[in-house]
Amino acid sequence: MSPLLMGVVNVTPDSFSDGGRFLATDAAIAHGRALVAQGADLLDIGGESTRPGATRPVVAEELARVIPVIEALAGDGVTVSVDTMRAEVAAAAVAAGAAIVNDVSGGLADPRILAVTADSEARYVCMHWRAHATEMQAAPHLEYAGGVVAGVLEELGARLDAARAAGLDDDRLIVDPGLGFSKTAEQNWELLRGLDRIGSLGLPVLVGASRKGFLGALLAAPDGTPRPVGERESAHTALVAVLAARTSPPIWALRVHDVGAARDAVLAVGRMER
Ligand code: PMM
């Protein structure tokens, strides 16, 4: 089974071309539709940037960004995921048609999100996370006493227990190691090599490597300047192919920005193995 492709639709100010709300909404909807045309199986719609150093929008602003986009794309019949750490946004998103709550904080940022999701029919992505974007790359958040894979497994396990206690059964849970969230570049590579152990949790695994800083560091210029975000796709596509070829356990879904490139890679891997 090939991994599903989750196309990223960021409705954040840095993705607004002109700052206008109506045009930003329209542009995000059009982008989501383009990703579906390129082969996205589901769309992840987010109104809060989680890039290192990013500050948070207020709740009303996050709602205004994501809800109209979710309504339109879910209305098209697309499987929509909402990328949020907030219970209010998760509740409104599910009411607007979202089928998945993608909480990068695993319920740590706003614990009420677990019960809100449990009360809906949505599935819940439980990602490994330690701190908000302004502080997540600070030194104490990069320490994993027994190694990053063991640390992520233990902390994710605790968050999954909290999700289950809130009423989310295993058939609604998805896990994600959280590449780039409180991890050094090397720790991201260790996690990718340790995906078997993440799979041993027995739940579908989602992985998001697209455009992340560890790829920029890998591809850095001789003077150490990281490769710009828009020029990391070839390396990412190679990872998509390797992850698509995994069987024990298979990867449930990949969260990607360039759906066309990922779809081509997944098709080639699937064709070769057939
Ligand atoms: N990465 C980002 C945002 N949301 N959600 C999940 N489940 N997994 C991720 O790895 C993840 C995420 C940050 O990436 P972006 O700022 O490029 O969207």
Side-chain angles (χ1 to χ4, degrees):
M1 224 347 229
S2 298
L4 300 175
L5 296 178
M6 172 188 266
V8 178
V9 180
N10 284 324
V11 202
T12 49
D14 29 306
S15 62
F16 295 178
S17 46
D18 61 9
R21 160 82 53 224
F22 178 74
L23 288 174
T25 301
D26 261 16
I29 294 167
H31 184 58
R33 288 179 176 148
L35 295 183
V36 169
Q38 288 166 30
D41 299 293
L42 53 159
L43 295 174
D44 189 37
I45 297 159
E48 172 175 358
S49 173
T50 48
R51 293 257 161 83
T55 52
R56 308 195 69 191
V58 299
V59 180
E61 173 63 21
E62 191 183 340
L63 285 166
R65 290 178 187 175
V66 297
I67 298 305
V69 179
I70 292 170
E71 273 170 358
L73 294 170
D76 287 353
V78 179
T79 302
V80 167
S81 153
V82 60
D83 190 339
T84 187
M85 297 185 248
R86 287 177 164 139
E88 285 101 319
V89 178
V94 167
I100 299 172
V101 173
N102 174 25
D103 175 9
V104 299
S105 84
L108 283 173
D110 180 354
R112 293 170 307 142
I113 199 170
L114 299 174
V116 161
T117 309
D119 284 347
S120 75
E121 289 183 0
R123 299 178 77 181
Y124 180 75
V125 175
C126 184
M127 198 191 83
H128 177 263
W129 182 94
R130 283 181 161 183
H132 284 290
T134 45
E135 47 180 311
M136 69 181 183
Q137 295 305 103
H141 294 309
L142 299 172
E143 276 170 31
Y144 294 85
V148 68
V149 179
V152 165
L153 267 179
E154 185 185 326
E155 291 168 33
L156 260 184
R159 299 319 306 155
L160 290 169
D161 286 345
R164 292 178 182 118
L168 283 157
D169 293 336
D170 278 19
D171 60 358
R172 293 169 66 194
L173 292 172
I174 296 153
V175 283
D176 185 325
L179 298 180
F181 289 80
S182 294
K183 281 104 188 165
T184 64
E186 179 50 34
Q187 286 165 345
N188 290 312
W189 293 111
E190 282 177 44
L191 275 170
L192 283 168
R193 286 190 289 268
L195 281 177
D196 282 355
R197 290 170 67 196
I198 305 295
S200 72
L201 290 165
L203 297 168
V205 177
L206 170 66
V207 178
S210 181
R211 300 189 177 170
K212 289 204 171 151
F214 73 107
L215 295 176
L218 172 78
L219 305 170
D223 70 359
T225 308
R227 181 78 67 83
V229 168
E231 297 169 29
R232 301 172 183 171
E233 196 51 41
S234 306
H236 176 252
T237 308
L239 284 183
V240 168
V242 169
L243 295 174
R246 294 177 59 94
T247 50
S248 63
I251 302 297
W252 174 71
L254 296 167
R255 183 179 180 279
V256 304
H257 296 86
D258 188 338
V259 171
R263 173 55 62 205
D264 290 355
V266 167
L267 276 176
V269 170
R271 181 65 187 85
M272 195 182 106
E273 290 179 343
R274 177 141 54 81

